[in-house]
Amino acid sequence: MKITNLLPKVEPKSVNVEAELVLANSKFPESNLPFYRKLGRTDLTVSCLGLGGGGHISSEDTLYAFERGINYFFYSSDLHQYLYSSMRGALRQLCGKGSSIRDQVVLATVSYMIRTPDAVLTYLYDQFVDLGIDYIDVFFWGWIDEHNSNSFEKCLSASDDIRGSDTVCQRHIERVFGISERLKKMGAVRYIGASFHDHDLAQKWLDSSLLDVVMVRHNVAHRTAQNKVFPYLDPKDPQRPGIVTFKSAGMVGPLWTSPLGLPSGCWQPSVPDLYRYSLSQNCVDIALAGWTKREHVDSAIAAVQQGKLTPEELDYLNLYGDLHRNRIKVKDVPPQRWLYR
């Protein structure tokens, strides 16, 4: 049975990935933006919206998100740990030792302390203690940019010692936390990811066999990934990495607020519309969200059920984002490019 298989248990050889996704998506209205999808070349079936703890969401509302169909959860134990701590109880319930629903959850964790490959054990110990888990689905090296690129390269070179079963990493974890059937089968870490703040570096590592999932910042006002990352991915390539976006709703300022100069009556996108913007890009599997309460979960799910944005909507949101960055002047925009709602 696959880790995130949403069907009754079957023998691995009989699983049909396409049939699995069709059945998983049958609970949602049919659309060109399927709610569940395969995460790149991994065997993980993930919801197109992922939940991180940056909004200090409660454990109760984290469990509510899972009940609504969200199955990708992102957790940090070193940066902004206080914000993430409020979802810890829910993740222990969903992913901890003895959980009967562990195989329905994709747990992604991150460390922003990029030093040496040996140091990863320290970060994993913290996460195993925090969450009481047997294994992690995707372990991310966080905040990769030009300042830590050399250290990241050294860490990534050790991917085969960290991910999968029967690795050095697994044996270390077993000595500290004990041996379990899940740990023996999955390994301490199933897949390796990296969160890039430098899109040139993200592009450089897209084709690396050492990296399974790539996470990049992306929104209507910061569209560098649309030039440097997304065009270099082939949606038909079964070996492409999984792609996760973050900062959909803003980086410097909130993008759901109207930019200065926006003509009266023009469409002012909601935060869920901004998730749809990222999910409408080539090969984006997950838009990571930092919801603060369950109402945000509901509105985000309702929005993605509307499907991908149209070319006209994408063009308008590009204008909208450029206004936020003061890249254009309203007087220079042809009237037909504005959308009124």
Side-chain angles (χ1 to χ4, degrees):
M1 179 178 180
K2 291 189 176 181
I3 286 301
T4 55
N5 185 13
L6 303 175
L7 303 176
K9 185 174 289 188
V10 294
E11 292 302 318
K13 290 184 179 179
S14 67
V15 171
N16 181 298
V17 173
E18 292 302 320
E20 179 183 89
L21 290 174
V22 168
L23 185 55
N25 281 309
S26 64
K27 67 171 72 174
F28 296 101
E30 186 175 352
S31 102
N32 62 356
L33 185 57
F35 194 80
Y36 294 108
R37 63 278 306 281
K38 189 169 175 283
L39 181 59
R41 63 170 169 261
T42 75
D43 70 351
L44 302 172
T45 298
V46 294
S47 52
C48 65
L49 295 166
L51 173 56
H56 200 52
I57 193 168
S58 69
S59 279
E60 292 76 14
D61 287 349
T62 298
L63 292 173
Y64 177 80
F66 176 72
E67 292 168 2
R68 287 299 320 275
I70 305 300
N71 78 334
Y72 183 90
F73 298 93
F74 184 81
Y75 182 80
S76 170
S77 61
D78 49 37
L79 183 66
H80 305 311
Q81 203 276 336
Y82 167 73
L83 294 176
Y84 284 84
S85 65
S86 58
M87 67 190 302
R88 182 190 300 138
L91 295 182
R92 290 182 71 95
Q93 183 173 332
L94 293 171
C95 303
K97 294 177 183 292
S99 169
S100 62
I101 52 176
R102 177 63 182 92
D103 59 355
Q104 298 176 37
V105 183
V106 176
L107 175 64
T109 67
V110 63
S111 175
Y112 297 94
M113 310 297 286
I114 311 301
R115 294 174 182 165
T116 66
D118 292 340
V120 70
L121 293 171
T122 301
Y123 317 141
L124 290 177
Y125 291 162
D126 289 344
Q127 293 170 359
F128 272 65
V129 170
D130 264 1
L131 301 180
I133 52 179
D134 289 296
Y135 65 90
I136 293 165
D137 291 297
V138 187
F139 175 78
F140 281 90
W141 298 107
W143 208 305
I144 307 304
D145 60 20
E146 68 277 12
H147 301 296
N148 60 16
S149 59
N150 290 335
S151 295
F152 168 67
E153 188 163 350
K154 293 177 183 177
C155 290
L156 197 59
S157 68
S159 288
D160 291 336
D161 293 326
I162 298 171
R163 65 181 173 187
S165 59
D166 196 29
T167 61
V168 174
C169 177
Q170 176 187 338
R171 291 191 287 274
H172 277 287
I173 293 294
E174 285 178 340
R175 281 198 289 270
V176 176
F177 295 97
I179 298 174
S180 71
E181 288 302 314
R182 284 173 168 170
L183 180 56
K184 285 197 298 183
K185 180 180 179 182
M186 306 301 176
V189 173
R190 298 200 63 214
Y191 298 103
I192 298 291
S195 172
F196 290 95
H197 284 246
D198 183 310
H199 290 90
D200 289 314
L201 284 173
Q203 182 189 127
K204 172 184 175 181
W205 290 102
L206 281 179
D207 295 325
S208 173
S209 62
L210 301 174
L211 190 62
D212 305 301
V213 185
V214 170
M215 187 157 69
V216 292
R217 62 183 184 226
H218 174 258
N219 58 54
V220 298
H222 296 81
R223 304 192 297 272
T224 308
Q226 290 172 218
N227 298 320
K228 293 190 175 182
V229 179
F230 305 153
Y232 295 89
L233 298 164
D234 181 356
K236 296 180 180 179
D237 180 7
Q239 293 305 310
R240 73 164 177 85
I243 300 295
V244 181
T245 61
F246 64 97
K247 295 292 186 182
S248 295
M251 290 173 59
V252 177
L255 292 173
W256 61 88
T257 61
S258 179
L260 186 65
L262 185 71
S264 177
C266 276
W267 176 29
Q268 188 172 332
S270 65
V271 172
D273 290 325
L274 300 175
Y275 300 140
R276 287 176 69 204
Y277 181 83
S278 284
L279 290 168
S280 296
Q281 308 299 323
N282 180 51
C283 289
V284 172
D285 298 306
I286 302 170
L288 190 64
W291 301 313
T292 61
K293 54 186 179 180
R294 65 181 59 194
E295 289 80 8
H296 295 164
V297 177
D298 291 334
S299 59
I301 291 175
V304 299
Q305 288 174 356
Q306 298 174 46
K308 291 184 178 181
L309 296 170
T310 66
E312 293 76 18
E313 289 171 327
L314 290 169
D315 178 66
Y316 169 79
L317 289 181
N318 290 340
L319 288 177
Y320 179 91
D322 286 341
L323 277 179
H324 262 284
R325 294 293 302 277
N326 297 312
R327 293 195 189 102
I328 60 171
K329 298 183 182 298
V330 172
K331 65 181 180 61
D332 296 329
V333 179
Q336 64 270 22
R337 292 186 67 189
W338 298 116
L339 290 183
Y340 294 88
R341 294 184 177 176

